[in-house]
Amino acid sequence: NAGVMQNPRHLVRRRGQEARLRCSPVKGHSHVYWYRQLPEEGLKFMVYLQKENIIDESGMPKERFSAEFPKEGPSILRIQQVVRGDSAAYFCASSPLRQNTDTQYFGPGTRLTVL
Amino acid sequence: QKEVEQDPGPLSVPEGAIVSLNCTYSNSAFQYFMWYRQYSRKGPELLMYTYSSGNKEDGRFTAQVDKSSKYISLFIRDSQPSDSATYLCATLSYNTDKLIFGTGTRLQVFP
């Protein structure tokens, strides 16, 4: 029974390039959440998606960031034209039900470094 | 003012000590309170969650919530070197789905 999978685990990009981060939720989970963790800071909510729908994107920067969770395949967090300030660890979490707080499982994260 | 405040530490204790980790929060709408443990270069792992005020115990861990003072605590009894990690408190209000995290407290338990 695989947990949340994220890939790549480490991603290096130069300024101006695109970064695509993938998250495969626990099998059977239809709710996905993305969080960002800057050095020495706690996790900050970015976006909450349910299959094919964005439910809450209040934590997403208005420009360059987008997220999707298609009917088939993993959830994707896409960052266009990356800048050094985008360097962070990006975690996704999944749950089977909305607001089921005891079963929001986190993945191992993708560490993005922007040169 | 941050919605959830947590002392970043580091906190260094000898093996066997009782550890007390604390957070304060500002929004009285928060109903759910969680503690996550995060080892270096890993994702957060849910340790405990409580709803509203009260205590919850699980083995060596006790979570405590005092809504009147907006104060949440995690106690670790008989601490072990394997408990060395960053501990993150998090809250959630009833009508949202986004966890609000503290900055995390780095704990080191030395033999």
Side-chain angles (χ1 to χ4, degrees):
Chain A
N1 185 16
V4 177
M5 311 272 285
Q6 288 188 251
N7 67 82
R9 295 291 308 276
H10 301 274
L11 182 61
V12 179
R13 286 287 178 266
R14 296 190 181 279
R15 280 179 296 170
Q17 291 184 319
E18 178 180 288
R20 290 170 71 88
L21 288 62
R22 293 174 186 78
C23 168
S24 296
V26 173
K27 188 176 180 180
H29 287 191
S30 58
H31 301 259
V32 166
Y33 312 80
W34 284 93
Y35 293 83
R36 176 164 64 175
Q37 187 174 36
L38 293 167
E40 306 302 322
E41 292 190 20
L43 284 80
K44 298 277 194 272
F45 169 82
M46 298 182 75
V47 62
Y48 161 41
L49 309 103
Q50 197 180 355
K51 280 289 186 181
E52 300 184 274
N53 292 305
I54 296 175
I55 308 299
D56 182 350
E57 58 181 346
S58 58
M60 287 275 272
K62 298 295 181 209
E63 297 176 348
R64 303 186 298 108
F65 285 72
S66 61
E68 61 177 17
F69 187 18
K71 189 176 180 182
E72 300 292 337
S75 175
I76 307 285
L77 179 67
R78 184 181 175 210
I79 312 172
Q80 295 177 290
Q81 298 176 323
V82 295
V83 301
R84 288 218 173 107
D86 297 333
S87 295
Y90 292 82
F91 293 94
C92 82
S94 73
S95 69
L97 298 170
R98 189 170 186 172
Q99 293 183 358
N100 198 335
T101 57
D102 62 338
T103 51
Q104 193 172 128
Y105 297 100
F106 279 82
T110 292
R111 276 154 187 84
L112 172 66
T113 302
V114 179
L115 302 176
Chain B
Q1 182 189 7
K2 289 183 181 177
E3 289 187 277
V4 179
E5 299 270 5
Q6 186 175 9
D7 186 336
L11 183 61
S12 187
V13 301
E15 183 175 357
I18 296 174
V19 176
S20 172
L21 302 165
N22 308 292
C23 289
T24 58
Y25 63 94
S26 57
N27 190 340
S28 57
F30 292 143
Q31 298 279 345
Y32 300 94
F33 304 92
M34 281 73 71
W35 284 96
Y36 284 83
R37 177 173 62 195
Q38 186 176 24
Y39 290 112
S40 181
R41 301 287 181 177
K42 303 287 186 185
E45 169 195 10
L46 180 66
L47 272 179
M48 306 274 291
Y49 83 99
T50 53
Y51 172 70
S52 196
S53 283
N55 292 2
K56 187 172 184 177
E57 191 172 318
D58 184 2
R60 297 185 294 112
F61 298 89
T62 300
Q64 200 171 75
V65 177
D66 182 348
K67 291 197 75 180
S68 63
S69 58
K70 299 189 179 69
Y71 199 81
I72 53 180
S73 302
L74 178 71
F75 299 97
I76 308 174
R77 290 183 296 282
D78 187 25
S79 55
Q80 304 293 310
S82 59
D83 294 329
S84 299
T86 296
Y87 289 80
L88 299 150
C89 60
T91 65
L92 185 71
S93 60
Y94 182 74
N95 58 353
T96 72
D97 302 278
K98 52 187 178 185
L99 293 170
I100 310 293
F101 282 89
T103 53
T105 299
R106 193 151 51 93
L107 171 68
Q108 182 169 6
V109 181
F110 57 89

